[in-house]
């Protein structure tokens, strides 16, 4: 998918010829077969979501599915921090369908909220159907994010610890990034510092744990970015600060990819570079405006 046939070196000229921006805009239509869709719609009714109502899928990665808590703890987050965001969506007339697996921390009972992994309807068909039919997808760095992208769903990404290959495709998509504490400086890094200092770790991604400690987004930050997404117009423009973040992000990833070596990765270096490059200059999302204002120069924590 990522590496052109017959190419054994990394080149931005090759990346440009692949026209990734156009590829992102020209995905083939993906849908369930009619028979499976009818079955899924019947199960949706049994779940209690009327066809006339809209819903959001929420996925917050935990370590249970892969049993990798000690290795990839920086990718995990607590569902407890999402309660205010969930309430905002239900107050706005939507439903929230939490997706994932049975190892996840159960949600408390809430009106218009379905803890789908812990329901009797959990199955492969509904995993796909729910994501394909949601109004938008709220997620973290995880495998289910790729399913939402496959179905071209609008995205709100939270607790990002990886912002190269997982960054947002549409200009209306929004994200917020985890906070990082520097042990050597005994303080939190600004978002501007995070972009400059941890770009190289994006190939794994895992910031140096001897130097950095990762902290989750809080309830207010998560609620704010969801509210921003809900209230923004269909045709929105970047703020000056969002333009600045996107420019700095691109510059730092270019600088990192132009180096001769990468952080350790399960793929070869060349494949990794092309995979990252496919999302470096060709994606159009942005970090939430309020989050940027509170963390770009100095971290709010």
């Amino acid at each position: 998918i990522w590496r052109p046939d017959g190419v054994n070196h990394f080149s931005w000229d090759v990346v440009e010829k692949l026209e990734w921006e156009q590829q992102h805009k020209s995905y083939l239509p993906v849908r369930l077969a009619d028979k499976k869709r009818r079955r899924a719609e019947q199960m949706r009714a049994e779940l209690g979501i009327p066809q006339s109502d809209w819903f959001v899928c929420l996925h917050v990665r935990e370590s249970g599915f892969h049993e990798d808590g000690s290795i990839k703890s920086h990718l995990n987050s607590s569902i407890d921090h999402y309660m205010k965001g969930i309430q905002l969506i239900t107050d706005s007339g939507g439903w929230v369908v939490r997706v994932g697996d049975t190892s996840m921390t159960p949600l408390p009972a809430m009106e218009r909220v379905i803890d789908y992994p812990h329901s009797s309807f959990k199955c492969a068909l509904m995993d796909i159907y729910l994501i394909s039919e949601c109004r938008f997808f709220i997620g973290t760095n995880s495998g289910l994010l790729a399913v939402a992208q496959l179905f071209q769903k609008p995205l709100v990404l939270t607790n990002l610890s990886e912002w190269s290959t997982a960054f947002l495709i549409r200009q209306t998509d929004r994200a917020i990034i985890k906070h990082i504490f520097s042990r050597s400086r005994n303080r939190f890094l600004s978002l501007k510092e995070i972009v400059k200092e941890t770009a190289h770790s994006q190939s794994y991604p895992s910031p140096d744990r001897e130097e950095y400690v990762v902290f989750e987004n809080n309830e207010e930050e998560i609620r704010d970015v969801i509210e921003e997404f809900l209230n923004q117009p269909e045709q929105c423009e970047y703020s000056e600060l969002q333009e600045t973040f996107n420019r700095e992000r691109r510059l730092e990833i270019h600088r990192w990819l132009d180096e001769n070596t990468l952080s350790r990765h399960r793929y070869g270096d060349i494949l990794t570079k092309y995979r990252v490059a496919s999302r470096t200059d060709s994606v159009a999302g942005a970090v939430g405006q309020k989050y940027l204002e509170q963390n770009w120069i100095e971290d709010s924590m």
Side-chain angles (χ1 to χ4, degrees):
I1 294 175
W2 313 112
R3 180 175 172 177
D5 291 337
V7 175
N8 58 7
H9 66 286
F10 180 76
S11 165
W12 286 107
D13 290 336
V14 173
V15 174
E16 185 176 353
K17 291 176 183 178
L18 292 172
E19 298 182 325
W20 278 109
E21 183 175 2
Q22 186 59 38
Q23 291 200 53
H24 293 320
K25 294 178 179 178
S26 305
Y27 283 156
L28 295 174
V30 180
R31 63 182 179 86
L32 286 169
D34 291 343
K35 182 178 180 179
K36 291 186 176 182
R37 173 175 290 280
R38 288 193 295 271
R39 172 58 183 149
E41 288 175 347
Q42 179 183 344
M43 295 173 71
R44 169 181 174 159
E46 294 171 3
L47 265 172
I49 308 174
Q51 287 290 335
S52 58
D53 287 3
W54 60 275
F55 68 92
V56 172
C57 282
L58 168 66
H59 182 252
V60 181
R61 190 191 194 277
E62 297 182 21
S63 61
F65 184 78
H66 291 290
E67 297 182 350
D68 59 3
S70 61
I71 301 172
K72 295 188 176 180
S73 59
H74 61 287
L75 298 178
N76 298 330
S77 302
S78 170
I79 191 67
D80 293 339
H81 294 171
Y82 289 77
M83 297 305 167
K84 289 184 179 180
I86 290 172
Q87 189 68 51
L88 175 64
I89 292 166
T90 57
D91 287 348
S92 301
W95 292 68
V96 175
V97 181
R98 193 271 199 92
V99 293
D101 68 279
T102 56
S103 71
M104 290 182 152
T105 305
L107 284 172
M110 293 178 282
E111 188 175 356
R112 300 174 72 88
V113 176
I114 296 175
D115 199 0
Y116 162 71
H118 298 291
S119 74
S120 60
F121 299 95
K122 166 71 177 171
C123 63
L125 173 60
M126 288 303 286
D127 288 349
I128 299 298
Y129 171 81
L130 289 168
I131 295 176
S132 71
E133 290 296 309
C134 68
R135 176 172 288 189
F136 61 95
F137 181 89
I138 304 171
T140 57
N141 294 130
S142 70
L144 279 186
L145 173 58
V147 180
Q149 291 169 333
L150 177 67
F151 284 101
Q152 300 112 64
K153 307 311 295 186
L155 300 174
V156 177
L157 299 187
T158 57
N159 282 305
L160 286 194
S161 57
E162 198 280 348
W163 35 265
S164 59
T165 57
F167 206 61
L168 306 149
I169 294 175
R170 291 178 178 80
Q171 188 165 340
T172 52
D173 292 342
R174 290 292 175 266
I176 53 176
I177 296 171
K178 282 187 174 181
H179 301 271
I180 296 182
F181 182 84
S182 165
R183 296 182 191 272
S184 65
R185 280 161 286 191
N186 195 34
R187 65 170 175 83
F188 284 91
L189 301 180
S190 69
L191 186 54
K192 185 174 184 178
E193 290 172 320
I194 289 173
V195 171
K196 287 187 176 297
E197 291 189 24
T198 66
H200 69 280
S201 71
Q202 296 295 297
S203 62
Y204 189 54
S206 180
D208 179 2
R209 297 187 186 188
E210 296 298 319
E211 168 60 16
Y212 301 121
V213 184
V214 178
F215 285 79
E216 295 180 37
N217 298 129
N218 60 43
E219 280 191 291
E220 286 71 25
E221 290 171 334
I222 293 170
R223 184 195 183 283
D224 287 344
V225 74
I226 294 172
E227 183 175 36
E228 178 180 327
F229 180 87
L230 286 171
N231 292 333
Q232 70 186 359
E234 289 187 12
Q235 300 296 325
C236 64
E237 300 293 332
Y238 297 126
S239 69
E240 183 178 347
L241 198 52
Q242 287 169 335
E243 291 272 15
T244 298
F245 173 86
N246 283 353
R247 181 175 62 253
E248 291 297 318
R249 172 188 169 274
R250 289 192 297 268
L251 286 172
E252 291 305 321
I253 295 177
H254 269 262
R255 186 174 295 121
W256 157 52
L257 291 180
D258 287 337
E259 294 175 355
N260 292 325
T261 59
L262 293 175
S263 306
R264 63 190 180 92
H265 198 278
R266 63 182 181 273
Y267 302 119
D269 283 0
I270 301 303
L271 172 58
T272 301
K273 286 189 173 186
Y274 277 112
R275 181 177 181 229
V276 174
S278 72
R279 291 288 188 87
T280 301
D281 299 332
S282 58
V283 293
V287 171
Q289 179 64 24
K290 187 172 182 179
Y291 181 83
L292 273 173
E293 291 171 356
Q294 293 176 339
N295 296 281
W296 179 245
I297 300 300
E298 184 178 53
D299 187 273
S300 59
M301 294 179 69

